[in-house]
CSV table of all heavy atoms in Angstrom, one decimal:
chain,number,residue,atom,x,y,z
A,291,LEU,N,-1.6,-14.4,6.7
A,291,LEU,CA,-0.8,-15.6,6.9
A,291,LEU,C,-1.7,-16.8,7.3
A,291,LEU,O,-2.7,-16.5,8.0
A,291,LEU,CB,0.3,-15.3,8.0
A,291,LEU,CG,1.2,-14.1,7.7
A,291,LEU,CD1,2.1,-13.8,9.0
A,291,LEU,CD2,2.1,-14.5,6.5
A,292,PRO,N,-1.3,-17.9,6.9
A,292,PRO,CA,-2.1,-19.1,7.4
A,292,PRO,C,-2.0,-19.3,8.9
A,292,PRO,O,-1.0,-19.0,9.5
A,292,PRO,CB,-1.4,-20.3,6.7
A,292,PRO,CG,0.0,-19.8,6.3
A,292,PRO,CD,-0.1,-18.3,6.1
A,293,ASN,N,-3.0,-19.9,9.5
A,293,ASN,CA,-3.0,-20.3,10.9
A,293,ASN,C,-2.9,-19.1,11.8
A,293,ASN,O,-2.4,-19.3,13.0
A,293,ASN,CB,-2.0,-21.4,11.2
A,293,ASN,CG,-2.2,-22.6,10.3
A,293,ASN,OD1,-3.3,-23.1,10.1
A,293,ASN,ND2,-1.1,-23.0,9.7
A,294,THR,N,-3.3,-17.9,11.4
A,294,THR,CA,-3.2,-16.7,12.3
A,294,THR,C,-4.6,-16.5,12.9
A,294,THR,O,-5.6,-16.7,12.2
A,294,THR,CB,-2.9,-15.4,11.4
A,294,THR,OG1,-1.5,-15.7,10.8
A,294,THR,CG2,-2.8,-14.3,12.3
A,295,ARG,N,-4.6,-16.2,14.2
A,295,ARG,CA,-5.9,-15.9,14.8
A,295,ARG,C,-6.6,-14.8,14.3
A,295,ARG,O,-6.0,-13.7,14.0
A,295,ARG,CB,-5.6,-15.7,16.4
A,295,ARG,CG,-5.2,-16.9,17.1
A,295,ARG,CD,-5.1,-16.7,18.6
A,295,ARG,NE,-4.2,-15.7,19.0
A,295,ARG,CZ,-4.5,-14.5,19.6
A,295,ARG,NH1,-5.8,-14.3,20.0
A,295,ARG,NH2,-3.5,-13.6,20.0
A,296,LEU,N,-7.9,-15.0,14.1
A,296,LEU,CA,-8.7,-13.8,13.6
A,296,LEU,C,-8.8,-12.6,14.4
A,296,LEU,O,-8.7,-11.5,13.9
A,296,LEU,CB,-10.1,-14.3,13.4
A,296,LEU,CG,-10.4,-15.2,12.1
A,296,LEU,CD1,-11.9,-15.7,12.2
A,296,LEU,CD2,-10.1,-14.6,10.9
A,297,GLN,N,-8.8,-12.8,15.7
A,297,GLN,CA,-9.1,-11.7,16.7
A,297,GLN,C,-10.2,-10.9,16.2
A,297,GLN,O,-11.4,-11.5,16.1
A,297,GLN,CB,-7.7,-10.9,16.8
A,297,GLN,CG,-6.6,-11.7,17.5
A,297,GLN,CD,-5.5,-10.8,18.0
A,297,GLN,OE1,-5.6,-9.6,18.1
A,297,GLN,NE2,-4.4,-11.4,18.3
A,298,THR,N,-10.1,-9.6,15.9
A,298,THR,CA,-11.2,-8.8,15.5
A,298,THR,C,-11.6,-8.9,14.0
A,298,THR,O,-12.6,-8.4,13.5
A,298,THR,CB,-11.1,-7.3,15.9
A,298,THR,OG1,-9.9,-6.9,15.2
A,298,THR,CG2,-10.9,-7.2,17.4
A,299,ALA,N,-10.7,-9.5,13.2
A,299,ALA,CA,-10.9,-9.5,11.7
A,299,ALA,C,-12.0,-10.5,11.4
A,299,ALA,O,-12.2,-11.5,12.1
A,299,ALA,CB,-9.6,-9.9,11.1
A,300,SER,N,-12.8,-10.1,10.4
A,300,SER,CA,-13.8,-11.1,9.8
A,300,SER,C,-13.2,-12.1,9.0
A,300,SER,O,-12.1,-12.0,8.5
A,300,SER,CB,-14.9,-10.3,9.0
A,300,SER,OG,-14.2,-9.7,7.9
A,301,VAL,N,-13.9,-13.2,8.7
A,301,VAL,CA,-13.4,-14.2,7.8
A,301,VAL,C,-13.3,-13.6,6.4
A,301,VAL,O,-12.3,-13.9,5.7
A,301,VAL,CB,-14.5,-15.3,7.8
A,301,VAL,CG1,-14.0,-16.4,6.7
A,301,VAL,CG2,-14.6,-16.1,9.1
A,302,ALA,N,-14.2,-12.8,6.0
A,302,ALA,CA,-14.0,-12.1,4.7
A,302,ALA,C,-12.7,-11.3,4.6
A,302,ALA,O,-12.1,-11.4,3.5
A,302,ALA,CB,-15.3,-11.2,4.4
A,303,TYR,N,-12.4,-10.5,5.5
A,303,TYR,CA,-11.2,-9.8,5.5
A,303,TYR,C,-9.9,-10.6,5.5
A,303,TYR,O,-9.0,-10.5,4.7
A,303,TYR,CB,-11.2,-8.8,6.7
A,303,TYR,CG,-9.9,-8.0,6.8
A,303,TYR,CD1,-9.8,-6.8,6.0
A,303,TYR,CD2,-8.8,-8.3,7.5
A,303,TYR,CE1,-8.7,-6.0,6.1
A,303,TYR,CE2,-7.6,-7.5,7.6
A,303,TYR,CZ,-7.6,-6.4,6.9
A,303,TYR,OH,-6.4,-5.6,6.8
A,304,ALA,N,-9.9,-11.6,6.4
A,304,ALA,CA,-8.8,-12.6,6.4
A,304,ALA,C,-8.6,-13.3,5.1
A,304,ALA,O,-7.5,-13.4,4.6
A,304,ALA,CB,-8.9,-13.6,7.5
A,305,ALA,N,-9.7,-13.7,4.5
A,305,ALA,CA,-9.7,-14.4,3.2
A,305,ALA,C,-9.1,-13.5,2.1
A,305,ALA,O,-8.4,-13.8,1.3
A,305,ALA,CB,-11.1,-14.9,2.7
A,306,SER,N,-9.6,-12.2,2.1
A,306,SER,CA,-9.1,-11.2,1.1
A,306,SER,C,-7.6,-11.0,1.2
A,306,SER,O,-6.9,-10.7,0.3
A,306,SER,CB,-9.9,-9.9,1.3
A,306,SER,OG,-9.5,-9.1,2.4
A,307,LYS,N,-7.1,-10.9,2.5
A,307,LYS,CA,-5.7,-10.7,2.8
A,307,LYS,C,-4.8,-12.0,2.3
A,307,LYS,O,-3.7,-11.8,1.8
A,307,LYS,CB,-5.4,-10.3,4.2
A,307,LYS,CG,-5.9,-8.8,4.4
A,307,LYS,CD,-5.1,-7.9,3.6
A,307,LYS,CE,-5.5,-6.5,3.8
A,307,LYS,NZ,-4.7,-5.6,3.1
A,308,GLN,N,-5.3,-13.1,2.5
A,308,GLN,CA,-4.7,-14.2,2.1
A,308,GLN,C,-4.6,-14.3,0.6
A,308,GLN,O,-3.6,-14.7,0.0
A,308,GLN,CB,-5.3,-15.6,2.7
A,308,GLN,CG,-5.0,-15.6,4.2
A,308,GLN,CD,-5.4,-17.0,4.8
A,308,GLN,OE1,-5.2,-18.0,4.2
A,308,GLN,NE2,-5.8,-16.8,6.0
A,309,ALA,N,-5.7,-13.8,-0.1
A,309,ALA,CA,-5.7,-13.7,-1.5
A,309,ALA,C,-4.8,-12.7,-2.0
A,309,ALA,O,-4.0,-12.9,-3.1
A,309,ALA,CB,-7.1,-13.4,-2.0
A,310,GLN,N,-4.6,-11.5,-1.3
A,310,GLN,CA,-3.6,-10.6,-1.6
A,310,GLN,C,-2.2,-11.2,-1.6
A,310,GLN,O,-1.3,-10.9,-2.5
A,310,GLN,CB,-3.6,-9.4,-0.8
A,310,GLN,CG,-4.7,-8.3,-1.2
A,310,GLN,CD,-4.4,-7.1,-0.3
A,310,GLN,OE1,-3.9,-7.0,0.7
A,310,GLN,NE2,-5.1,-5.9,-0.8
A,311,ALA,N,-1.9,-11.9,-0.6
A,311,ALA,CA,-0.6,-12.6,-0.4
A,311,ALA,C,-0.4,-13.5,-1.7
A,311,ALA,O,0.7,-13.6,-2.2
A,311,ALA,CB,-0.6,-13.4,0.9
A,312,ALA,N,-1.5,-14.2,-2.1
A,312,ALA,CA,-1.2,-15.2,-3.2
A,312,ALA,C,-1.1,-14.4,-4.5
A,312,ALA,O,-0.3,-14.8,-5.4
A,312,ALA,CB,-2.6,-16.0,-3.4
A,313,ILE,N,-1.7,-13.2,-4.6
A,313,ILE,CA,-1.5,-12.3,-5.8
A,313,ILE,C,-0.1,-11.9,-5.9
A,313,ILE,O,0.6,-12.0,-7.0
A,313,ILE,CB,-2.4,-11.1,-5.7
A,313,ILE,CG1,-3.9,-11.6,-6.0
A,313,ILE,CG2,-2.0,-10.1,-6.8
A,313,ILE,CD1,-4.9,-10.4,-5.7
A,314,SER,N,0.5,-11.4,-4.7
A,314,SER,CA,1.9,-11.0,-4.7
A,314,SER,C,2.9,-12.1,-5.1
A,314,SER,O,3.8,-11.9,-5.8
A,314,SER,CB,2.2,-10.4,-3.3
A,314,SER,OG,3.5,-9.9,-3.3
A,315,ASP,N,2.6,-13.2,-4.5
A,315,ASP,CA,3.5,-14.4,-4.7
A,315,ASP,C,3.4,-14.8,-6.2
A,315,ASP,O,4.4,-15.1,-6.8
A,315,ASP,CB,3.1,-15.5,-3.8
A,315,ASP,CG,4.1,-16.7,-4.0
A,315,ASP,OD1,5.3,-16.5,-3.8
A,315,ASP,OD2,3.7,-17.8,-4.3
A,316,GLY,N,2.2,-14.9,-6.7
A,316,GLY,CA,2.0,-15.4,-8.1
A,316,GLY,C,2.7,-14.3,-9.1
A,316,GLY,O,3.4,-14.7,-10.0
A,317,LEU,N,2.5,-13.0,-8.8
A,317,LEU,CA,3.0,-12.0,-9.7
A,317,LEU,C,4.6,-12.1,-9.7
A,317,LEU,O,5.2,-11.8,-10.6
A,317,LEU,CB,2.6,-10.6,-9.3
A,317,LEU,CG,1.2,-10.2,-9.8
A,317,LEU,CD1,0.8,-8.9,-9.1
A,317,LEU,CD2,1.2,-10.1,-11.3
A,318,ARG,N,5.1,-12.3,-8.5
A,318,ARG,CA,6.6,-12.4,-8.3
A,318,ARG,C,7.2,-13.4,-9.2
A,318,ARG,O,8.2,-13.4,-9.9
A,318,ARG,CB,6.9,-12.6,-6.9
A,318,ARG,CG,8.5,-12.8,-6.6
A,318,ARG,CD,8.8,-13.1,-5.2
A,318,ARG,NE,8.0,-14.2,-4.7
A,318,ARG,CZ,8.4,-15.5,-4.8
A,318,ARG,NH1,9.5,-15.7,-5.5
A,318,ARG,NH2,7.6,-16.5,-4.4
A,319,GLN,N,6.5,-14.6,-9.3
A,319,GLN,CA,6.9,-15.7,-10.2
A,319,GLN,C,6.6,-15.4,-11.6
A,319,GLN,O,7.5,-15.7,-12.4
A,319,GLN,CB,6.1,-17.0,-9.7
A,319,GLN,CG,6.4,-17.4,-8.2
A,319,GLN,CD,5.6,-18.7,-8.0
A,319,GLN,OE1,5.7,-19.7,-8.7
A,319,GLN,NE2,4.9,-18.6,-6.9
A,320,GLU,N,5.5,-14.9,-11.9
A,320,GLU,CA,5.1,-14.6,-13.3
A,320,GLU,C,6.0,-13.5,-13.9
A,320,GLU,O,6.3,-13.6,-15.1
A,320,GLU,CB,3.7,-14.1,-13.4
A,320,GLU,CG,3.2,-14.1,-14.8
A,320,GLU,CD,1.6,-13.9,-14.8
A,320,GLU,OE1,1.0,-14.8,-14.3
A,320,GLU,OE2,1.2,-12.9,-15.3
A,321,LEU,N,6.5,-12.5,-13.1
A,321,LEU,CA,7.2,-11.5,-13.7
A,321,LEU,C,8.7,-11.6,-13.6
A,321,LEU,O,9.5,-10.8,-13.9
A,321,LEU,CB,6.8,-10.1,-13.0
A,321,LEU,CG,5.4,-9.7,-13.2
A,321,LEU,CD1,5.1,-8.4,-12.4
A,321,LEU,CD2,5.2,-9.4,-14.8
A,322,LYS,N,9.1,-12.8,-13.1
A,322,LYS,CA,10.6,-13.1,-12.9
A,322,LYS,C,11.2,-13.0,-14.2
A,322,LYS,O,10.8,-13.5,-15.3
A,322,LYS,CB,10.7,-14.5,-12.4
A,322,LYS,CG,12.2,-14.8,-11.9
A,322,LYS,CD,12.3,-16.2,-11.3
A,322,LYS,CE,13.7,-16.5,-10.8
A,322,LYS,NZ,14.1,-15.5,-9.7
A,323,GLY,N,12.4,-12.3,-14.3
A,323,GLY,CA,13.1,-12.1,-15.5
A,323,GLY,C,12.7,-10.9,-16.3
A,323,GLY,O,13.4,-10.4,-17.3
A,324,ARG,N,11.7,-10.1,-15.8
A,324,ARG,CA,11.2,-8.9,-16.4
A,324,ARG,C,11.6,-7.7,-15.4
A,324,ARG,O,11.9,-8.0,-14.2
A,324,ARG,CB,9.7,-8.9,-16.7
A,324,ARG,CG,9.4,-10.0,-17.7
A,324,ARG,CD,8.0,-10.4,-17.7
A,324,ARG,NE,7.1,-9.3,-18.1
A,324,ARG,CZ,5.7,-9.5,-18.2
A,324,ARG,NH1,5.2,-10.7,-17.9
A,324,ARG,NH2,4.9,-8.5,-18.5
A,325,PRO,N,11.7,-6.5,-15.8
A,325,PRO,CA,12.2,-5.4,-15.0
A,325,PRO,C,11.2,-4.9,-14.0
A,325,PRO,O,11.0,-3.7,-13.8
A,325,PRO,CB,12.6,-4.4,-16.0
A,325,PRO,CG,11.6,-4.6,-17.1
A,325,PRO,CD,11.4,-6.1,-17.2
A,326,VAL,N,10.5,-5.9,-13.3
A,326,VAL,CA,9.5,-5.4,-12.3
A,326,VAL,C,9.7,-6.4,-11.1
A,326,VAL,O,9.5,-7.5,-11.2
A,326,VAL,CB,8.1,-5.6,-12.8
A,326,VAL,CG1,7.1,-5.2,-11.7
A,326,VAL,CG2,7.8,-4.7,-14.0
A,327,ARG,N,10.0,-5.7,-9.9
A,327,ARG,CA,10.2,-6.5,-8.7
A,327,ARG,C,9.0,-6.6,-7.9
A,327,ARG,O,8.2,-5.5,-7.8
A,327,ARG,CB,11.4,-5.9,-7.9
A,327,ARG,CG,11.7,-6.6,-6.7
A,327,ARG,CD,13.0,-6.1,-6.1
A,327,ARG,NE,13.0,-4.6,-5.8
A,327,ARG,CZ,14.0,-3.9,-5.4
A,327,ARG,NH1,15.1,-4.6,-5.0
A,327,ARG,NH2,13.9,-2.6,-5.2
A,328,VAL,N,8.5,-7.7,-7.2
A,328,VAL,CA,7.3,-7.8,-6.5
A,328,VAL,C,7.7,-8.2,-5.1
A,328,VAL,O,8.3,-9.2,-4.8
A,328,VAL,CB,6.4,-8.8,-7.2
A,328,VAL,CG1,5.1,-8.9,-6.4
A,328,VAL,CG2,6.2,-8.5,-8.6
A,329,GLN,N,7.3,-7.4,-4.2
A,329,GLN,CA,7.4,-7.6,-2.7
A,329,GLN,C,6.1,-7.3,-1.9
A,329,GLN,O,5.3,-6.6,-2.4
A,329,GLN,CB,8.6,-6.6,-2.2
A,329,GLN,CG,9.9,-6.8,-3.1
A,329,GLN,CD,10.9,-5.9,-2.6
A,329,GLN,OE1,11.9,-6.3,-1.8
A,329,GLN,NE2,10.9,-4.7,-2.9
A,330,ALA,N,6.1,-7.8,-0.8
A,330,ALA,CA,5.0,-7.7,0.2
A,330,ALA,C,5.4,-7.5,1.6
A,330,ALA,O,6.3,-8.2,2.0
A,330,ALA,CB,4.0,-8.8,0.0
A,331,VAL,N,4.7,-6.7,2.3
A,331,VAL,CA,4.9,-6.6,3.7
A,331,VAL,C,3.6,-7.0,4.5
A,331,VAL,O,2.5,-6.7,4.1
A,331,VAL,CB,5.4,-5.2,4.1
A,331,VAL,CG1,4.3,-4.2,3.8
A,331,VAL,CG2,5.8,-5.0,5.6
A,332,PHE,N,3.8,-7.7,5.7
A,332,PHE,CA,2.7,-8.2,6.5
A,332,PHE,C,2.7,-7.5,7.8
A,332,PHE,O,3.3,-8.1,8.7
A,332,PHE,CB,2.8,-9.7,6.6
A,332,PHE,CG,2.7,-10.5,5.3
A,332,PHE,CD1,3.6,-10.4,4.3
A,332,PHE,CD2,1.5,-11.2,5.1
A,332,PHE,CE1,3.5,-11.2,3.1
A,332,PHE,CE2,1.3,-12.0,3.8
A,332,PHE,CZ,2.4,-11.9,2.9
A,333,PRO,N,2.0,-6.3,7.9
A,333,PRO,CA,2.1,-5.6,9.2
A,333,PRO,C,1.1,-6.2,10.2
A,333,PRO,O,0.0,-6.8,9.8
A,333,PRO,CB,1.6,-4.2,8.8
A,333,PRO,CG,1.6,-4.2,7.4
A,333,PRO,CD,1.4,-5.6,6.9
A,334,PRO,N,1.3,-6.1,11.5
A,334,PRO,CA,0.3,-6.4,12.5
A,334,PRO,C,-0.5,-5.2,12.8
A,334,PRO,O,-0.5,-4.3,12.0
A,334,PRO,CB,1.3,-6.7,13.7
A,334,PRO,CG,2.4,-5.7,13.6
A,334,PRO,CD,2.6,-5.6,12.1
A,335,TYR,N,-1.2,-5.2,13.9
A,335,TYR,CA,-2.0,-4.1,14.3
A,335,TYR,C,-1.0,-2.9,14.5
A,335,TYR,O,0.1,-3.1,15.2
A,335,TYR,CB,-2.8,-4.3,15.5
A,335,TYR,CG,-3.5,-3.0,16.1
A,335,TYR,CD1,-4.7,-2.6,15.5
A,335,TYR,CD2,-2.9,-2.3,17.1
A,335,TYR,CE1,-5.3,-1.5,16.0
A,335,TYR,CE2,-3.5,-1.1,17.5
A,335,TYR,CZ,-4.7,-0.8,17.0
A,335,TYR,OH,-5.3,0.4,17.5
A,336,ILE,N,-1.2,-1.7,14.0
A,336,ILE,CA,-0.3,-0.7,14.1
A,336,ILE,C,-0.9,0.6,14.7
A,336,ILE,O,-2.1,0.9,14.5
A,336,ILE,CB,0.5,-0.3,12.8
A,336,ILE,CG1,-0.6,0.0,11.7
A,336,ILE,CG2,1.4,-1.4,12.3
A,336,ILE,CD1,0.1,0.4,10.4
A,337,GLU,N,-0.1,1.3,15.4
A,337,GLU,CA,-0.6,2.6,16.0
A,337,GLU,C,-0.5,3.6,14.9
A,337,GLU,O,0.5,3.8,14.2
A,337,GLU,CB,0.3,3.1,17.1
A,337,GLU,CG,-0.1,4.4,17.7
A,337,GLU,CD,0.9,4.9,18.8
A,337,GLU,OE1,1.6,4.0,19.4
A,337,GLU,OE2,1.0,6.0,19.1
A,338,ASP,N,-1.7,4.4,14.6
A,338,ASP,CA,-1.7,5.3,13.5
A,338,ASP,C,-1.0,6.6,14.0
A,338,ASP,O,-1.5,7.4,14.8
A,338,ASP,CB,-3.2,5.6,13.2
A,338,ASP,CG,-3.4,6.4,12.0
A,338,ASP,OD1,-2.4,6.7,11.3
A,338,ASP,OD2,-4.5,6.9,11.7
A,339,LEU,N,0.2,6.8,13.3
A,339,LEU,CA,1.0,8.0,13.6
A,339,LEU,C,1.3,8.7,12.3
A,339,LEU,O,1.7,8.0,11.4
A,339,LEU,CB,2.2,7.5,14.4
A,339,LEU,CG,3.1,8.6,14.9
A,339,LEU,CD1,2.4,9.5,16.0
A,339,LEU,CD2,4.4,8.0,15.6
Side-chain angles (χ1 to χ4, degrees):
L291 299 173
N293 304 313
T294 301
R295 289 187 299 122
L296 285 174
Q297 294 194 18
T298 60
S300 66
V301 171
Y303 179 80
S306 73
K307 286 298 177 176
Q308 292 192 34
Q310 276 192 342
I313 290 170
S314 183
D315 184 58
L317 280 172
R318 179 180 55 81
Q319 297 179 52
E320 189 171 297
L321 296 175
K322 191 175 181 63
R324 294 160 68 179
V326 181
R327 181 170 55 181
V328 183
Q329 304 179 99
V331 62
F332 293 72
Y335 176 82
I336 54 179
E337 180 184 338
D338 189 9
L339 187 63

